[in-house]
């Protein structure tokens, strides 16, 4: 149940190109969202996970001003309202 930040320090410069979240453990609730960030700066819109179990939600926007995360930078997934979802972040290594 994600209700705070999950941080991953990246070893290589990485460009986030897609984000998918899969609701699990039952239906989501009001206020259930996740946002993928470059440190504290949002890369994606808030993905609304107030959906049925097994529903896939994809990022609607990706900010090209924030999508490149530096080597040793932080990829952050921020959840609100105890979200139960598997979050998949697709990225490519960039020079």
């Amino acid at each position: 149940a994600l209700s705070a930040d999950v941080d991953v320090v990246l070893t290589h410069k990485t460009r986030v190109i897609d984000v998918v979240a899969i609701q699990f453990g039952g239906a989501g609730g009001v206020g259930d969202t996740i946002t993928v960030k470059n440190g504290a700066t949002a890369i994606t819109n808030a993905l609304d996970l107030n959906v049925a179990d097994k529903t896939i939600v994809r990022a609607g926007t990706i900010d090209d001003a924030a999508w490149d995360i530096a080597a040793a930078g932080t990829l952050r997934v921020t959840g609100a309202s105890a979200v139960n979802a598997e979050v998949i972040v697709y990225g490519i290594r960039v020079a």
Side-chain angles (χ1 to χ4, degrees), residues 34-85:
I34 63 105
T35 304
V36 174
K37 299 176 179 177
N38 179 350
T41 304
I43 298 171
T44 67
N45 60 303
L47 282 68
D48 183 359
L49 289 162
N50 185 9
V51 295
D53 189 28
K54 305 175 189 171
T55 300
I56 298 170
V57 178
R58 175 171 249 125
T61 62
I62 294 181
D63 184 352
D64 63 345
W67 67 355
D68 286 339
I69 302 172
T74 301
L75 168 68
R76 175 172 289 159
V77 177
T78 300
S81 188
V83 175
N84 288 312

